[in-house]
Amino acid sequence: MLVLEATDQAPAKARRYLDERFRELGCDDHYVGRIVVTELVTNAYKHVGFGQIVVRVFPDKRDDLIVIEVGDEGAGLPVVRDENHEATCGRGLLLIVQLVHDWGVRPLNEEGKVVWARCGR
């Protein structure tokens, strides 16, 4: 588990952590994982902007997939926006939906939520 402050340095630190975890788990291709963790941590940093961001990367042995979880203290839920060819931002979750096996959001008992995605090894 990696605990980050909500700063502009968080996405890079999350990528390094993901690379390390993928190596530990014997995963050769971390390309999708890097996109997913970057987008989810960036969303937590930009849209919540306070508190801690918690990143977890672990195997889902039932389906031989990798789970990436990013938790934050914000109440707002992520929304997949419709494709807009003129938009300069807001496409990250749309991209994630296309790349991962599945994804979702889970509220925490205390304040906040966990956004998760399952991707191939």
Side-chain angles (χ1 to χ4, degrees):
M1 176 173 62
L2 174 67
V3 179
L4 301 165
E5 295 301 318
T7 70
D8 61 348
Q9 298 300 309
K13 290 178 181 179
R15 282 190 299 276
R16 286 191 294 273
Y17 172 72
L18 179 124
D19 290 346
E20 179 183 307
R21 288 294 295 139
F22 267 49
R23 272 193 306 278
E24 290 170 1
L25 296 170
C27 303
D28 295 327
D29 186 5
H30 61 260
Y31 179 76
V32 171
R34 288 175 60 89
I35 291 171
V36 169
V37 81
T38 299
E39 178 61 26
L40 297 182
V41 169
T42 299
N43 282 352
Y45 154 63
K46 286 189 172 183
H47 298 292
V48 177
F50 64 89
Q52 295 181 325
I53 300 168
V54 178
V55 180
R56 291 183 38 194
V57 178
F58 56 92
D60 181 344
K61 294 180 179 161
R62 297 172 302 182
D63 295 322
D64 198 34
L65 298 171
I66 299 294
V67 179
I68 300 168
E69 292 186 339
V70 175
D72 63 53
E73 297 175 28
L77 299 178
V79 175
V80 178
R81 297 181 189 175
D82 291 332
E83 188 172 346
N84 178 348
H85 296 287
E86 301 197 16
T88 58
C89 64
R91 296 179 176 167
L93 283 177
L94 182 60
L95 175 63
I96 286 175
V97 168
Q98 301 299 315
L99 293 175
V100 301
H101 186 269
D102 57 350
W103 76 283
V105 182
R106 170 175 91 245
L108 296 174
N109 289 338
E110 56 278 357
E111 294 181 15
K113 66 189 167 300
V114 172
V115 182
W116 56 268
R118 294 186 323 141
C119 56
R121 293 176 165 258

